[in-house]
Structure formats: structure tokens, C-alpha cells
Amino acid sequence: QKETSLYKMDGSVSTNKLPSGNESKSTAKWVGATLEIKTTAEISNPEGGAKIKTEMTDVRSLSADGQVMTVVVTRQTPRGEVKQTLVYNKQK
């Protein structure tokens, strides 16, 4: 599944389509050497009924040698906070 998101880097709100067809609203800003993206969206409730509001923060950083990007994703859900760390190694 392919997904493309575009973020404005001036702090204004960016709107992107989710794979489900719903929209997300995000703001992106630099905090020192890291990029912080805060996103809100309404997603379908797997149990039926009203949509669920979700909030997510991505904090992206690049290693000093530029070879590793780390993304720490924190999601606020009705069932509590979920935190995930993704590590991407640059291919040679």
C-alpha cells in the first residue's frame, strides 16, 4: 500500500488523504535538529458507531553521519498512548 503525505514547513496546517479516504490535518516544525509533525484525524471505529479522533506526533531525526533516520511515533488513542520507534538505514 502506497501513501504520500506533503507537509508545509511554515507551521501552517497541511491536509492529507489517509488510505481509508479520511483526511488528516498536520503541522510541521523544526525543533533544533529534529522535525516534529503533529497530526489529528478521525478514523473509522472498528467496533462501529461514531468515528474515533486520533492524535499522533512524529519526531524525525537524522544521525550525525546522515546514514540513519529515526522516527519516534506517539499516538493518543481511546485505549491509551502507543509509542513506536522506527529506524531507517540508508542503502548504499
Side-chain angles (χ1 to χ4, degrees):
Q1 180 172 337
K2 183 177 178 180
E3 179 181 347
T4 301
S5 297
L6 299 174
Y7 300 104
K8 298 175 187 173
M9 304 307 285
D10 63 2
S12 63
V13 175
S14 300
T15 301
N16 287 291
K17 270 273 195 236
L18 300 172
S20 64
N22 295 325
E23 289 185 341
S24 65
K25 306 260 184 213
S26 304
T27 55
K29 67 177 180 176
W30 288 101
V31 179
T34 62
L35 177 61
E36 183 178 282
I37 304 169
K38 292 188 177 194
T39 302
T40 59
E42 287 187 349
I43 59 173
S44 298
N45 186 338
E47 298 170 4
K51 289 186 178 183
I52 299 170
K53 182 179 179 183
T54 184
E55 296 178 3
M56 181 171 61
T57 302
D58 290 9
V59 178
R60 298 171 182 257
S61 59
L62 192 60
S63 63
D65 64 2
Q67 298 300 303
V68 179
M69 180 174 70
T70 302
V71 183
V72 178
V73 181
T74 306
R75 287 184 180 91
Q76 302 298 331
T77 72
R79 295 185 178 169
E81 182 177 282
V82 176
K83 196 168 200 172
Q84 182 179 34
T85 301
L86 307 167
V87 179
Y88 299 91
N89 294 302
K90 185 175 182 178
Q91 298 295 311
K92 300 194 188 255

